[in-house]
Amino acid sequence: MKLDIYQIDAFAAGPFEGNPAAVMPLTDWLDDSVLQQLAEENNLSETAFYTAGLPADAGPHDPEHPAYHLRWFTPAVEVDLCGHATLATAAQIFEDVHPDADRIQFWTRSGWLHVDRGPDATLVMNFPAEPPVPTAADPRIVAALGIPVRECLKATDLVFVAESEHDIVSMAPDFAVFSPLKVRGIVVTAASDVEGLDFVSRWFGAAAGVQEDPVTGSAHSQIAPYWADVLGRNSLVGRQLSARGGTVHCEVRGDRVHLSGAYRRYLRGTVEF
């Protein structure tokens, strides 16, 4: 079998920045076990698979815009929501399949999502907002982070608010503590000291099977509502401080968050198995 594969860096302002995602268009769905093996072989934080066929349970969508069924796999598991691989998939479809479209719709495990063309060659994703709620901090996790923590909250991920951007940059977590946790991942965030940025973050996987994600769009659907409330404004700019780094522009609109960023295409090839 031969399949097309694309690798696109999402939330990347330049080469070798942002979060690389594999994008694999399919004519028909393969067995889930094969999809998981492909994602493991690709060995990126996410591989996105999509088909033009929509499942019977897909809700109504706008017939004026192209629609696809989209799924995301880490090397270990299928996930319910992924930002950077959604942006990468939309970029591939906009450029290679629907160059005249201004919106792409995706049916996913999180319902309908859509991605619009934005200004200056950016793409804008419309995601569900997930404001985190306060929760008790597990002292084992705080110790594993190795930095002072001001607040602990929970949404899909555990969210820890640090004292400073310096703490985010300098932290060297004990990853062995995270891997057994029954939570997708851990976000650590702080207000930014840099002009033009509102907050910074890093994201560490637990059940998702990813040690540290370069840029995590879905994490921003959790921390953007938090920082919007703290800072008193809905338009924010976040920077994920991984080794690669990436910038996410966020706009909180009620129960939705618009996440936008640039992208860079890296490769196109053929998978044979």
Side-chain angles (χ1 to χ4, degrees):
M1 181 175 289
K2 294 185 178 182
L3 299 173
D4 290 336
I5 185 169
Y6 305 82
Q7 187 170 315
I8 297 174
D9 296 336
F11 303 113
F16 314 118
E17 187 179 293
N19 199 349
V23 178
M24 301 187 71
L26 302 174
T27 303
D28 298 293
W29 288 110
L30 304 173
D31 288 345
D32 287 3
S33 61
V34 176
L35 299 179
Q36 189 63 71
Q37 287 173 314
L38 288 166
E40 184 179 5
E41 183 80 9
N42 292 338
N43 199 32
L44 297 171
S45 58
E46 304 280 351
T47 296
F49 302 95
Y50 72 85
T51 70
L54 298 175
D57 62 348
H61 63 283
D62 188 343
E64 296 297 317
H65 304 289
Y68 293 90
H69 185 191
L70 174 64
R71 297 169 68 184
W72 312 277
F73 288 75
T74 77
V77 295
E78 183 175 8
V79 297
D80 293 337
L81 185 65
C82 177
H84 82 281
T86 302
L87 191 148
T89 303
Q92 187 268 318
I93 295 173
F94 275 130
E95 292 200 5
D96 300 336
V97 185
H98 292 288
D100 297 326
D102 57 11
R103 171 174 292 183
I104 305 294
Q105 302 170 100
F106 294 114
W107 175 253
T108 74
R109 288 170 64 156
S110 292
W112 280 106
L113 310 173
H114 67 253
V115 184
D116 294 335
R117 293 186 188 272
D120 302 321
T122 62
L123 299 180
V124 183
M125 302 185 295
N126 184 315
F127 271 26
E130 192 180 2
V133 297
T135 190
D138 185 329
R140 297 173 303 158
I141 301 176
V142 175
L145 293 173
I147 60 171
V149 169
R150 274 190 3 212
E151 293 182 74
C152 178
L153 308 106
K154 190 175 188 307
T156 291
D157 301 315
L158 284 174
V159 178
F160 292 89
V161 182
E163 294 286 349
S164 70
E165 180 173 339
H166 172 75
D167 289 336
I168 303 287
V169 173
S170 63
M171 65 187 300
D174 181 354
F175 294 108
V177 174
F178 300 159
S179 56
L181 298 175
K182 304 301 182 184
V183 65
R184 187 189 73 157
I186 293 170
V187 189
V188 186
T189 185
S192 178
D193 301 328
V194 177
E195 186 175 355
L197 294 178
D198 296 299
F199 62 89
V200 296
S201 64
R202 289 172 71 183
W203 187 95
F204 309 107
V210 176
Q211 190 171 84
E212 179 169 5
D213 198 32
V215 191
T216 316
S218 59
H220 286 75
S221 66
Q222 302 168 61
I223 56 178
Y226 169 83
W227 286 111
D229 185 58
V230 170
L231 299 176
R233 60 180 183 276
N234 290 336
S235 294
L236 306 159
V237 182
R239 177 79 180 175
Q240 198 153 324
L241 299 179
S242 64
R244 290 175 63 97
T247 300
V248 183
H249 294 262
C250 311
E251 186 170 347
V252 180
R253 296 188 177 186
D255 63 353
R256 308 294 291 183
V257 178
H258 291 190
L259 306 172
S260 63
Y263 65 90
R264 288 295 183 101
R265 292 177 73 121
Y266 179 70
L267 66 81
R268 175 178 182 173
T270 303
V271 168
E272 299 184 29
F273 63 99

